[in-house]
């Protein structure tokens, strides 16, 4: 296949990328690392996730022995999910996280009393 | 500097922000007519002080900081750091981890080289090439997404192995994707290495010589285009490259001679892309079963690393050349000193010796030839317009100049 | 050449200490490192010895670090490059006292060392004697004189340069 035939063929094929957000996004692969999900019921307060989190997104709440986090800082490495002994932390497939308010409700995770998370 | 430079006459800044440069770096060239007589490079616009930040993170945390040194070679920074920490602890990763490391590393090399080829096409006004190569590159990104879950910042390396396994099902999909990819890249190779425009604009441009390359200690494809058969994958056999019998490619293997110019650099990179596809296939076929990490959980690795003491160096051949990480530990969970050397530092700096004698229109090709990755280099340049006599040339003009030359040389033949 | 032989050879020239790291990485490959200390006065002869023994050792990098009571530069070379599975990384450590931080350049042997020496000069404040281009490389020109970012003592970055409140602080950030 030469250069010209490739170009001509491309005229009749679909584009390599899709026109998101006008079209629905392409499905994410298995093992995709999206927004962090937290189940306070399962959490035993071992603080392993706090130790390995590269960006210090996760904060320990000593009174409840639970954690709180702010996804605005998360780098989606899923290290905390890997170390969690009870599976209280999971990566969801949600990647639509853009917002013009950095204190948006969906960036917050953990128990309702998120001390230090608000300005 | 101003007095001495003022005598040299007209100077032209390229950068820090310029369409020929994907990241901020400043080249400043002094010209007599159309001829470049002197060049200067200044780094620093992207300096983030990562080495100092790293000294405040623990061993697991800096792996992800290292990954974010550069968006293109995220694996290439995470892996040598993981190696350096393994060397501190004297841990040997299991064989399967070594093979997965080869797969991820080589896929990253394919996408980096494809990106560079597209950028070269863009610089010389061959935008068709840009669109075709980036189309091919999408397939590699999909493959990486399949393995790691995300397109960039794969978060694959960890101390003592890798974090995700390549299952049988994934392996079959990957092998199918690779066949597709190989066809595309081979077509691209035939187009690029024989196309009249590419030949006219790259042959003899940015010419080093072997002696200069050896004395400057150039890295990666820049050394191999000068006929220096040097490659960390071959020399040290990192990960499973030794087991796979890897041998480096130099320009004369591809085009018959070591041109030491932008054409040889193109030839080496295209040939390496095809070699990488074959390496990924070999690694996938020969992958032994077994564990993928020497430690069951990252927290175990962190605890073990916190007891380590001494100094270690981790090396890996990134798409642009050898990446070296040095760490010094003193029985703490943080490094005492972490030093990163990215290949672009010397490769980009070396263009200073190469600019003189070329035409202004070739400047963008020379600047793009080492595949400058400024984020890796952590540096860039400020052009001070108050110094010396200057003609403010905006970037659109310079790219226009390069494209006009392309049109002219095409008209000659 | 055997690693220990190489180390002995270098120790004979430098009169310093040294050790060898030889670790297994995979079935076929090993990680080979030779570390040797040298004096400020004779480190150039150690590097010359390397150049004599191997044509064109490749300079990998120069690490500049502050060890508390003294500064240290580590000149790291790859020898045997181009020979499959035989590469050795030789690192020459040179101590520099803090009250007289001067060291000779190696740019006459390795012109490419210029970029590393310029970096070392601005990062920990060593004075590289004979360096052709002494301008700053990475840090901006309006950065205060006499402040060296990687120095751990009073010449390092003073707190007022970095003590700014984070735009999105977390409690216990160490950044308040």
């Amino acid at each position: 296949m030469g250069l010209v035939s490739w170009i001509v063929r491309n005229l009749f094929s679909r584009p390599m990328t899709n026109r998101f957000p006008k079209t629905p996004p392409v499905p994410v692969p298995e093992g995709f690392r999206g927004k962090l999900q937290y189940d306070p019921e399962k959490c035993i307060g071992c603080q392993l996730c706090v130790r390995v989190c590269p960006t210090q997104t996760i904060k320990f709440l000593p009174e409840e022995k639970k954690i709180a986090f702010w996804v605005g800082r998360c780098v989606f490495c899923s290290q905390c999910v890997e170390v969690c002994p009870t599976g209280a932390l999971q990566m969801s497939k949600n990647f639509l996280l853009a917002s013009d308010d950095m204190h948006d409700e969906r960036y917050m995770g953990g128990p309702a009393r998120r001390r230090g998370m608000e300005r | 500097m101003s007095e001495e430079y003022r005598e040299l006459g007209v100077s032209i800044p390229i950068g820090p922000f310029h369409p020929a440069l994907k990241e901020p770096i400043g080249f400043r060239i002094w010209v007599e007519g159309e001829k470049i007589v002197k060049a200067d490079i200044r780094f620093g616009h992207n300096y983030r002080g990562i080495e100092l930040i790293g000294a405040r993170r623990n061993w697991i945390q800096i792996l992800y900081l290292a990954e974010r040194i550069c968006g293109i070679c995220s694996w290439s920074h995470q892996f040598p750091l993981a190696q350096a920490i393994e060397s501190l602890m004297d841990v040997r990763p299991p064989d399967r981890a070594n093979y997965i490391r080869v797969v991820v590393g080589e896929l990253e090399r394919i996408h980096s080289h494809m990106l560079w080829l597209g950028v070269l096409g863009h610089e010389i006004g061959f935008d068709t090439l840009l669109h075709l190569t980036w189309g091919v590159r999408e397939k590699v990104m999909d493959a990486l997404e399949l393995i790691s879950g995300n397109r960039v910042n794969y978060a694959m390396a960890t101390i003592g192995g890798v974090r995700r396994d390549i299952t049988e099902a994934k392996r079959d999909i990957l092998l199918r994707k690779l066949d597709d990819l190989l066809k595309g890249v081979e077509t691209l190779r035939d187009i690029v290495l024989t196309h009249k425009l590419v030949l006219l604009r790259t042959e003899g441009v940015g010419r080093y010589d072997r002696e200069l390359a050896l004395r400057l200690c150039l890295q990666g494809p820049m050394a191999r285009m000068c006929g220096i058969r040097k490659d960390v994958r071959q020399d040290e056999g990192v990960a499973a490259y030794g087991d796979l019998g890897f041998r480096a490619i130099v320009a004369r293997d591809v085009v018959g001679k070591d041109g030491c110019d932008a054409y040889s650099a193109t030839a080496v990179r295209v040939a390496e892309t095809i070699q990488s596809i074959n390496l990924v296939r070999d690694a996938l076929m020969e992958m032994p079963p077994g564990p993928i990490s020497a430690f069951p959980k990252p927290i175990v690795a962190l605890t073990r690393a916190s007891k380590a003491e001494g100094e270690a160096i981790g090396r890996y051949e990134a798409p642009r050349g050898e990446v070296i990480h040095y760490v010094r530990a003193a029985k703490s969970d943080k490094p005492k000193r972490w030093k990163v050397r990215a290949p672009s530092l010397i490769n980009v700096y070396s263009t200073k010796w190469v600019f003189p004698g070329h035409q202004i229109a070739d400047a963008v090709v020379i600047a793009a030839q080492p595949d400058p990755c400024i984020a890796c280099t952590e540096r860039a340049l400020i052009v001070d317009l108050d110094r010396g006599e200057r003609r403010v040339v905006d970037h659109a003009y310079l790219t226009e100049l390069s494209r006009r030359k392309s049109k002219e040389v095409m008209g000659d033949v | 050449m055997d690693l220990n032989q190489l180390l002995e050879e270098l120790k004979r020239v430098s009169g310093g200490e040294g050790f060898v790291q030889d670790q297994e990485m995979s079935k076929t490959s090993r990680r080979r490192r030779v570390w040797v200390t040298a004096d400020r006065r004779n480190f150039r002869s150690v590097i010359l010895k390397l150049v004599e023994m191997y044509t064109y050792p490749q300079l990998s990098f120069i690490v500049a670090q502050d060890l508390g009571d003294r500064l240290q530069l580590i000149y790291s070379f790859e020898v045997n490059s181009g020979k499959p599975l035989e590469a050795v990384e030789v690192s020459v450590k040179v101590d520099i006292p803090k009250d007289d931080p001067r060291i000779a350049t190696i740019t006459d042997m390795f012109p490419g060392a210029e970029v590393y020496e310029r970096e070392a000069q601005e990062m920990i404040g060593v004075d590289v004697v004979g360096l052709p281009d002494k301008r700053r490389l990475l840090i901006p020109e309006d950065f205060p004189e006499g402040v060296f970012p990687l120095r751990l003592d009073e010449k390092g970055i003073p707190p007022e340069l970095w003590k700014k409140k984070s735009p999105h602080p977390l409690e216990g950030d160490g950044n308040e």
Side-chain angles (χ1 to χ4, degrees), chain A residues 48-113:
Chain A
L48 286 180
C49 48
V50 181
R51 251 186 102 191
V52 297
C53 180
T55 50
Q56 292 150 20
T57 306
I58 304 173
K59 196 192 134 212
F60 184 63
L61 306 174
E63 279 165 33
E64 295 101 327
K65 297 229 183 336
K66 303 282 171 205
I67 58 159
F69 58 89
W70 179 53
V71 183
R73 257 186 167 182
C74 179
V75 295
F76 307 100
C77 66
S78 99
Q79 190 80 246
C80 48
V81 176
E82 209 164 297
V83 294
C84 187
T86 57
L89 286 165
Q90 290 297 332
M91 282 303 199
S92 67
K93 303 230 167 200
N94 178 15
F95 61 90
L96 298 168
L97 291 170
S99 165
D100 40 18
D101 174 20
M102 71 181 201
H103 298 289
D104 197 308
E105 194 53 35
R106 60 199 160 138
Y107 293 167
M108 306 294 182
R113 231 154 48 82

Side-chain angles (χ1 to χ4, degrees), chain C residues 132-148:
Chain C
D133 188 350
K134 288 203 162 197
R135 284 173 302 149
R136 280 178 172 169
L137 181 74
L138 294 180
I139 52 180
E141 276 178 353
D142 55 359
F143 195 76
E145 290 287 330
V147 176
F148 305 108

Side-chain angles (χ1 to χ4, degrees), chain B residues 57-315:
Chain B
R57 301 274 192 280
N58 71 31
W59 295 112
I60 288 287
Q61 289 171 340
I62 59 170
L63 281 174
Y64 301 92
L65 183 64
E67 189 174 31
R68 278 152 187 85
I69 287 176
C70 174
I72 303 289
C73 21
S74 59
W75 167 262
S76 303
H77 279 284
Q78 204 183 18
F79 175 41
L81 177 60
Q83 271 198 62
I85 302 171
E86 279 161 21
S87 174
L88 270 180
M89 301 153 71
D90 205 357
V91 168
R92 178 197 188 279
D95 283 333
R96 189 174 176 85
N98 276 335
Y99 277 82
I100 297 175
R101 284 173 168 192
V102 170
V103 172
V104 181
E106 290 311 304
L107 286 174
E108 185 181 275
R109 189 178 318 275
I110 299 166
H111 99 70
S112 174
H113 281 350
M114 283 290 106
L115 186 139
W116 177 82
L117 193 58
V119 170
L120 178 83
H122 176 70
E123 287 336 346
I124 63 175
F126 190 5
D127 273 330
T128 314
L129 186 64
L130 170 80
H131 295 297
L132 293 181
T133 47
W134 284 44
V136 172
R137 183 172 169 265
E138 274 310 302
K139 298 193 180 99
V140 196
M141 303 303 277
D142 288 348
L144 278 166
E145 196 180 29
L146 179 79
I147 296 174
S148 70
N150 285 31
R151 275 164 63 96
V152 283
N153 292 336
Y154 328 112
M156 280 294 278
T158 188
I159 303 167
V162 290
R163 289 183 55 197
R164 290 174 200 86
D165 200 359
I166 298 177
T167 56
E168 286 289 311
K170 279 187 183 174
R171 197 186 74 165
D172 295 341
I173 304 173
L174 270 178
L175 285 172
R176 268 204 306 283
K177 273 188 196 292
L178 284 176
D179 289 336
D180 220 19
L181 192 64
L182 187 62
K183 224 182 290 163
V185 176
E186 275 179 343
T187 317
L188 273 176
R189 174 191 63 187
D190 298 344
I191 292 169
V192 169
L193 294 186
T194 54
H195 197 276
K196 218 161 38 181
L197 179 60
V198 177
L199 276 165
L200 284 166
R201 285 309 305 279
T202 56
E203 250 185 336
V205 172
R207 191 187 284 277
Y208 291 72
D209 60 57
R210 193 164 184 273
E211 193 76 8
L212 179 71
L214 278 167
R215 279 163 58 84
L216 289 177
C217 307
L218 291 189
Q219 304 289 340
M222 293 292 278
R224 294 194 284 274
M225 79 179 190
C226 299
I228 305 164
R229 209 176 284 276
K230 172 176 120 172
D231 193 316
V232 180
R233 295 174 287 168
Q234 167 198 290
D235 300 347
E236 201 167 276
V238 289
Y241 290 104
D243 304 356
L244 289 165
F246 172 84
R247 289 292 173 271
I249 289 183
V250 294
R252 61 175 174 272
D253 304 344
V254 194
V255 288
K257 66 173 193 322
D258 296 325
C260 314
D261 53 9
Y263 181 67
S264 303
T266 316
V268 167
R269 288 198 172 103
V270 176
E272 271 182 18
T273 313
I274 292 171
Q275 188 190 28
S276 293
I277 297 173
N278 292 329
L279 261 177
V280 176
R281 185 178 292 138
D282 289 354
L284 285 173
M285 300 301 265
E286 289 172 25
M287 197 181 289
I292 55 162
S293 178
F295 301 105
K297 289 257 179 182
I299 204 81
V300 184
L302 177 59
T303 322
R304 277 280 303 277
S306 305
K307 290 181 191 129
E309 199 179 12
E311 289 160 298
I313 287 175
R315 304 168 66 205

Side-chain angles (χ1 to χ4, degrees), chain B residues 16 24-26 41-49 345 374 377-382, chain C residues 122 136-141:
Chain B
I25 182 173
I41 303 164
R42 289 229 9 234
F43 300 110
H45 286 141
N46 216 355
Y47 187 67
R48 291 155 288 171
L345 179 56
I374 311 309
T377 319
E378 293 176 303
R379 325 150 201 238
L381 133 105
I382 299 165
Chain C
E122 66 179 359
R136 280 178 172 169
L137 181 74
L138 294 180
I139 52 180
E141 276 178 353

